[in-house]
Amino acid sequence: MRRVLVTGGAGFIGSHYVHHLLSSHSDIEVINADALTYSANLQSLADIELDPRYRFIQVDLANQQEVEELFANPIDEVVHFAAESHVDRSIQGAEAFIRSNILGTYRLLEAIRHAGNLQKMIHISTDEVYGSIMQGRTKEGEALAPGNPYSASKAGSDLLCLAYFNTYQTPVVLTRCTNNYGPWQHPEKFIPKSILHALENQPLPLYGTGTQERDWIHVTDHCMGVDRVREAGRVGEVYHIGAEQPVSNRWIAENILDQLGKPHSLIQHTKDRLGHDYRYSLQTTKMREELGWEPLISLEQGLKETVAWYRQRWERGEGNAS
Ligand SMILES: NC(=O)c1ccc[n+]([C@@H]2O[C@H](COP(=O)([O-])OP(=O)(O)OC[C@H]3O[C@@H](n4cnc5c(N)ncnc54)[C@H](O)[C@@H]3O)[C@@H](O)[C@H]2O)c1
């Protein structure tokens, strides 16, 4: 049995990844270490709670003692999702982002360095570290230019990981992915918020003109990419994961309204986000050619299934827009 520590496994993407690991690898045990902040949701893990290959431990990665205790038992690989993840919250106050994303990653890297026997750490990062890309697609290795406190804290943690590889040969690999969507995303994020507001006939807030572009990828395609990197990614390298099909925020809002049979007049333009990045777009050739990965779910299909998932839960009274 290999033992994989997943940090942030009670969050949106981490919980999908925990499921992916358990269902795709019968020789893997998973330890899920998560602080259970407001964005965690243990309901998403209820179906595997009793799986003998799964264990949950509540850990704040910024707490040195708690992180050291995690490594008291041998761990083969770490997949590090845990982070504060919402840009708007980082604009209201960045301290929690610096604490969890930078200090938390530092504590993890130190614990790994002292444990000395880890085979690989996958650090999960974001296209946002490059800032706004007005045209074309960013390649791995291009300069970072984060435009908000969230992406700056992620860029800081990325650079720490690469510095630990350079200085101590800590076996770190980075992934940077575009915007994710799918079941179990927190309702504060754009797609679930738009679906739930539409279901409740409430205005759908859209920043500025709504022409900003994002490259949406289904969360299970992201998780499969992360797993390819865990299996075959080269340490010290960065890998981009994305669908390479950016669409405007307005396109997403209108698609959701159309699916739910609601009028476009529900869209309500709001004052633009401070420092709003206009466009993100990654080139993902390295993942496709070196690791043989490609996304399998089209945006149209994935969005349709995601709208249906939130709608079913909402109809059962299990999710709302607040
Ligand atoms: N959501 C996206 O579109 C997207 C895209 C690219 C990369 N990412 C990255 O993927 C990762 C996961 O994102 P998500 O959308 O699932 O976020 P999320 O907010 O849904 O989940 C984050 C999880 O991390 C946990 N956490 C936060 N601080 C912690 C701490 N100090 N110690 C332990 N656990 C802590 C939370 O409790 C939560 O369960 C993040 O690193 C994010 O930067 C997200």
Side-chain angles (χ1 to χ4, degrees), residues 8-14 33-41 59-62 80-85 99-100 124-127 150 154 177-180 185-186 189 222:
F12 165 47
I13 307 172
D34 195 298
L36 297 183
T37 70
Y38 80 95
S39 71
N41 186 349
V59 173
D60 175 3
L61 290 183
H80 177 39
F81 291 93
E84 288 291 333
S85 67
R99 187 179 180 279
S100 282
I124 307 300
S125 188
T126 163
D127 58 356
Y150 161 68
K154 291 297 291 186
C177 188
T178 59
N179 281 58
N180 282 224
Q185 191 166 25
H186 194 282
K189 299 284 172 68
H222 181 193

Side-chain angles (χ1 to χ4, degrees), residues 220-245:
T220 59
D221 279 331
H222 181 193
C223 289
M224 299 218 307
V226 168
D227 216 34
R228 277 303 293 147
V229 172
R230 184 188 60 78
E231 288 173 329
R234 286 175 292 137
V235 295
E237 294 286 321
V238 177
Y239 292 88
H240 284 174
I241 300 176
E244 297 207 10
Q245 284 184 336

Side-chain angles (χ1 to χ4, degrees), residues 143-321:
L144 307 188
N148 58 62
Y150 161 68
S151 53
S153 69
K154 291 297 291 186
S157 64
D158 288 16
L159 294 176
L160 259 185
C161 287
L162 291 170
Y164 267 64
F165 170 72
N166 185 58
T167 311
Y168 308 110
Q169 291 77 53
T170 305
V172 183
V173 193
L174 269 65
T175 61
R176 293 192 179 126
C177 188
T178 59
N179 281 58
N180 282 224
Y181 69 97
W184 297 114
Q185 191 166 25
H186 194 282
E188 71 185 357
K189 299 284 172 68
F190 178 53
I191 287 184
K193 182 193 253 179
S194 299
I195 298 169
L196 294 168
H197 278 232
L199 285 165
E200 294 180 6
N201 296 311
Q202 290 178 27
L204 269 67
L206 196 59
Y207 279 127
T209 57
T211 53
Q212 303 87 352
E213 289 184 12
R214 301 290 183 263
D215 176 27
W216 293 95
I217 184 168
H218 195 276
V219 61
T220 59
D221 279 331
H222 181 193
C223 289
M224 299 218 307
V226 168
D227 216 34
R228 277 303 293 147
V229 172
R230 184 188 60 78
E231 288 173 329
R234 286 175 292 137
V235 295
E237 294 286 321
V238 177
Y239 292 88
H240 284 174
I241 300 176
E244 297 207 10
Q245 284 184 336
V247 296
S248 70
N249 289 345
R250 190 172 183 97
W251 185 94
I252 295 280
E254 289 182 353
N255 183 294
I256 289 168
L257 288 167
D258 291 345
Q259 286 193 50
L260 294 171
K262 307 282 178 164
H264 290 187
S265 56
L266 273 181
I267 291 175
Q268 185 183 62
H269 291 277
T270 61
K271 194 165 169 285
D272 208 355
R273 172 189 271 169
L274 294 178
H276 203 167
D277 287 335
Y278 190 76
R279 180 175 180 269
Y280 300 128
S281 176
L282 297 180
Q283 190 195 85
T284 60
T285 314
K286 187 170 171 181
M287 276 299 291
R288 293 170 197 251
E289 292 184 354
E290 187 181 315
L291 300 185
W293 167 91
E294 59 176 5
L296 302 175
I297 304 172
S298 71
L299 180 57
E300 286 75 9
Q301 182 60 25
L303 205 48
K304 205 169 140 196
E305 288 169 12
T306 302
V307 169
W309 187 87
Y310 281 97
R311 181 185 203 157
Q312 275 171 16
R313 274 177 59 81
W314 181 79
E315 283 170 355
R316 291 198 302 258
E318 290 174 354
N320 58 42

